[in-house]
Amino acid sequence: MAQPVKSVRPQVSHQRLKVRRQLAAAAMELFVSKGYEATTVDEIAATAGVARRTFFRHFRSKEEAIFPDHDDTLERAKAVLDAAPAHENPIDTVCRGIKEVMKMYAASPAVSVQRYRLTREVPALREREIASVARYERLFTSYLLGQFDENSHNGDEPLLAEVAAASVVTAHNHVLRRWLRRDGEGDVEAELDHAFAIVRRTFASLPAIAATAPPPAAFASAKGEVLVTVARTDAPLSEVMRTIEQALTDRA
C-alpha cells in the first residue's frame, strides 16, 4: 500500500530562511570590514559557504542581502490582517500587523543595530530599506481601503486609507529608530503601544473605519427600573448618549 506523501514545505521554508540569514550575516560582515562598494556578490557567497547561483536564488542584489527577513515578515503581517476578528477596529488590526516588523528587529538587537548603522552610511542600503517600508504601507493601505463603505467619504477613501496606513508605519518607525539609536535598549513595546495610542485617537473615530465595530446598544427593563448600555471604549460619547436617549424614549 502506498504511503501518503508528507509535506516538506515547512522544512523547505526553514532551510530557505536559514540560507538567507547566512548570506545576510556574510554580507554584513564584509560590508563592515571591506566597505559596501568593495564587496562583491562572489565574496558574500564564498563567505557564506554557498555558490554564486545560490545567492541569486535568494537575493537579486547585494544591498538586498542584509534584509533577509522582510519577505517572511510581510507574510506574517498579512496573516494578521487576514485573521482579524470581525468586530476589531481596523486601525487596531494594522497596529498588530506592523508589530510583526518590530518582533523581527527585536529578535536580534545586536544585528539590527549594526544593520541600522550600515543603512545610515550607505545610500543604496537606505533606498532598499525605504522600498521595504513602502511594501508594508501598500499592504496596510489596501486593507484599510477595504474597510470603507462605498462612497463613504465622497471619493476620498483612497487618501484616508493611505494617510492612516502611513501614520501607523511612521509611528512604528519612529519608535524603532529611537530604540536602535539606544543600541536596542529600553522597553520598546511600551513605547510602541504609546505611539499607537496616539494614532488610534487620531483615526479610530473615522465613521467608515469605526463602522466595523458594533454600535452602542442600550437595553431597558420592562418596568423601566434598569438601563444597560453596551459600547466600545472608543465610541463617540454623542453616539452613546443618543443610544441611551432612544432607549428611554422607547420605554416611555
Side-chain angles (χ1 to χ4, degrees):
M1 181 177 177
Q3 295 295 318
V5 178
K6 295 182 179 180
S7 172
V8 296
R9 290 187 66 184
Q11 290 88 342
V12 170
S13 178
H14 175 75
Q15 180 63 22
R16 169 182 171 276
L17 188 56
K18 179 181 178 181
V19 174
R20 286 171 65 87
R21 288 176 175 170
Q22 288 175 342
L23 287 165
M28 191 173 298
E29 176 186 336
L30 290 168
F31 290 166
V32 171
S33 62
K34 294 189 60 176
Y36 171 78
E37 295 295 342
T39 299
T40 67
V41 167
D42 287 338
E43 289 172 324
I44 295 173
T47 301
V50 302
R52 174 187 173 89
R53 63 179 179 276
T54 300
F55 176 94
F56 284 110
R57 280 203 296 266
H58 292 274
F59 301 109
R60 291 169 294 184
S61 61
K62 66 180 183 180
E63 63 265 22
E64 193 176 281
I66 68 165
F67 300 100
D69 298 330
H70 273 300
D71 287 347
D72 297 275
T73 303
L74 188 71
E75 288 301 314
R76 290 200 301 274
K78 185 177 184 299
V80 170
L81 306 185
D82 291 342
H87 296 305
E88 182 175 44
N89 189 297
I91 294 293
D92 291 337
T93 305
V94 171
C95 288
R96 289 197 300 110
I98 196 67
K99 276 190 173 183
E100 293 299 319
V101 182
M102 184 62 79
K103 291 176 184 177
M104 175 190 71
Y105 282 93
S108 303
V111 173
S112 297
V113 170
Q114 188 177 38
R115 182 166 54 194
Y116 173 74
R117 291 172 179 168
L118 274 173
T119 58
R120 303 281 70 74
E121 298 171 0
V122 182
L125 299 181
R126 177 59 177 161
E127 290 172 7
R128 173 56 56 183
E129 183 183 51
I130 292 172
S132 296
V133 170
R135 295 172 68 195
Y136 293 107
E137 287 194 8
R138 287 195 297 270
L139 172 66
F140 298 142
T141 297
S142 177
Y143 174 77
L144 290 175
L145 186 57
Q147 308 306 309
F148 284 100
D149 296 328
E150 188 176 359
N151 299 319
S152 56
H153 284 85
N154 299 317
D156 290 332
E157 296 84 3
L159 172 62
L160 291 170
E162 187 170 346
V163 170
S167 295
V168 172
V169 174
T170 299
H172 168 273
N173 291 347
H174 173 81
V175 172
L176 175 61
R177 284 192 299 271
R178 292 182 62 181
W179 178 71
L180 292 171
R181 289 168 186 161
R182 296 196 306 266
D183 295 331
E185 297 180 355
D187 192 346
V188 68
E189 185 173 352
E191 293 179 25
L192 197 58
D193 287 339
H194 173 72
F196 287 161
I198 295 173
V199 175
R200 289 189 189 97
R201 286 199 298 270
T202 304
F203 291 101
S205 61
L206 284 175
I209 290 181
T212 57
F219 309 93
S221 66
K223 296 182 180 181
E225 297 172 349
V226 178
L227 176 69
V228 178
T229 302
V230 179
R232 284 178 58 94
T233 56
D234 59 359
L237 180 59
S238 59
E239 186 176 348
V240 176
M241 294 304 299
R242 281 197 302 271
T243 303
I244 294 174
E245 290 172 359
Q246 185 61 51
L248 293 173
T249 300
D250 293 343
R251 288 294 180 182

